Structures are given as structure tokens and as C-alpha cells.
Amino acid sequence: MRSDSDPRTIKELGFGRWCSEVLFYHYKWHIIGTVGVIAVVLLLLFMNAGVPDNDISVIVAVSEPLDSKVVNELKVEIGDILGDANGDGEVIINILHYHVNPATGHDQTTQQNKETMTLSFLNDDFVLYLFDRTNLEIYNASGSGRFNVALADTFGGLDGMIELEHLPFFQALGLTGEHELFACLKTQPFISSMDEAEFYENACKVLAGLLAGSEAGK
């Protein structure tokens, strides 16, 4: 006599009965799990299908948080300079405002921000960084190699950073003195999937526009 653990063949039962009486009986939970995973993947793809991409992502790392109005003005200014860089019909500027390395009050959020900053140096999406002096000295320390010194030199920079305090736009936002910001262009990571020109294109356009000034900053 054939035991229950000895599955019958498609030839014996026909394809329909074999699927219901053998395949699903013996592999029910495998099938349910696989279908569930596929459903989740399809749902995520569907949800992201209509989400437009960022034209650029800029990291602002400061030891004292900036006012939300200042961050928004910066976003608008960068959008005016760059425009619809990816051609999707929308101008979307992603400003990642990280409170990092405060003089006092270290907490879980600032620690997570530090970890995120470290990971960002390996990500092609982040090229342009704006630092206050505290974080400039930490992340652009001599010999760190994190930022492109030669490229910064072409914008009048020194040691991989470009001063922004003298620009009317930043002065109007109060980003001077102890609140001064410095721009840095990341060294292209060795795992980058982009060619050098593509990697730096949008960041350089934004930085050049900020340095030249625009109607919003005059």
C-alpha cells in the first residue's frame, strides 16, 4: 500500500487534482509564503511607481538645528538654480537637515544622524554637503579624503571647503558668524556606479549658482 508520505504523480491524478491533492497538501505553507512575498513586492512597486525622484539631495549637517524657514528658503533657492534636472516635470529638492555633534545634549537622534552621515559617504545620491564649522572640522579633517579638494579649488575653495558667509543669500538668512555654512563636494566613492561627470553635474551646478547669486538672493 502507498503511504501518505509517498506523493502520487501528475500522470496518475491529472494536473488539476495533483495540484490540489499533492502539491498544495505537501507545500501549502511554502506556497502561501511565496505568494505573500510576491504580493508585498508588487505592492511596494505599485506604491513607488508614481513617486517622482529627487532632482538633488543635499545634506546640511549642523551642531545647532536651523530654523525650518531657513531650510525651506535654501530648498527654494536650490530649486531655482537647478530646475527640473531629471526631466520628470517636477522640481523636487531634498534637503536632509541633520543635527549632529552638538556641544551639549547628545541623544539617540544625534547618534543616529552621525551613523547616517557615515553611510552617506558611500551613497551616490549625496554629493553636496553644507556644514557648520563644528561639523566641517570633524568630517573634513585633514587627510580624511572625504571631499574633493581639487574640485573645491575650482570654486575658490581651500582644503576641500568653500566659504558661503560672504554671499548675500546666506547673509539674508542669518547664516554668518557662528552660524556660517561651508560647502563641500564629496570625493566619488570607489563603489560608485556613475561616471565622474554625471556624479558631480548637479552638485556643481547648484554650487556655482549659489556662488554666483540669483534674483532670490539679491
Side-chain angles (χ1 to χ4, degrees), residues 76-201:
V76 171
E77 182 76 356
I78 291 174
D80 289 343
I81 293 169
L82 185 61
D84 180 16
N86 58 23
D88 65 358
E90 297 186 56
V91 178
I92 301 179
I93 309 302
N94 183 27
I95 302 291
L96 297 172
H97 177 208
Y98 292 142
H99 181 208
V100 197
N101 300 304
T104 60
H106 290 269
D107 57 20
Q108 185 176 359
T109 298
T110 57
Q111 181 59 37
Q112 288 174 343
N113 287 343
K114 289 176 67 174
E115 294 169 0
T116 302
M117 281 289 297
T118 300
L119 293 174
S120 76
F121 295 120
L122 298 175
N123 192 323
D124 277 350
D125 291 338
F126 310 114
V127 181
L128 179 59
Y129 292 70
L130 302 181
F131 295 114
D132 64 0
R133 187 173 294 278
T134 296
N135 284 285
L136 177 73
E137 293 173 353
I138 292 172
Y139 291 107
N140 191 37
S142 177
S144 71
R146 288 193 180 104
F147 297 100
N148 192 320
V149 174
L151 188 55
D153 286 348
T154 67
F155 290 97
L158 178 66
D159 297 329
M161 66 85 178
I162 301 98
E163 295 182 352
L164 303 173
E165 182 180 39
H166 64 285
L167 300 173
F169 172 71
F170 288 86
Q171 292 175 352
L173 294 179
L175 298 175
T176 59
E178 62 180 6
H179 301 297
E180 178 183 8
L181 294 183
F182 303 84
C184 296
L185 295 162
K186 183 175 69 182
T187 300
Q188 187 171 8
F190 69 93
I191 60 173
S192 174
S193 61
M194 305 167 69
D195 62 53
E196 185 175 18
E198 181 186 11
F199 181 79
Y200 286 111
E201 181 179 9

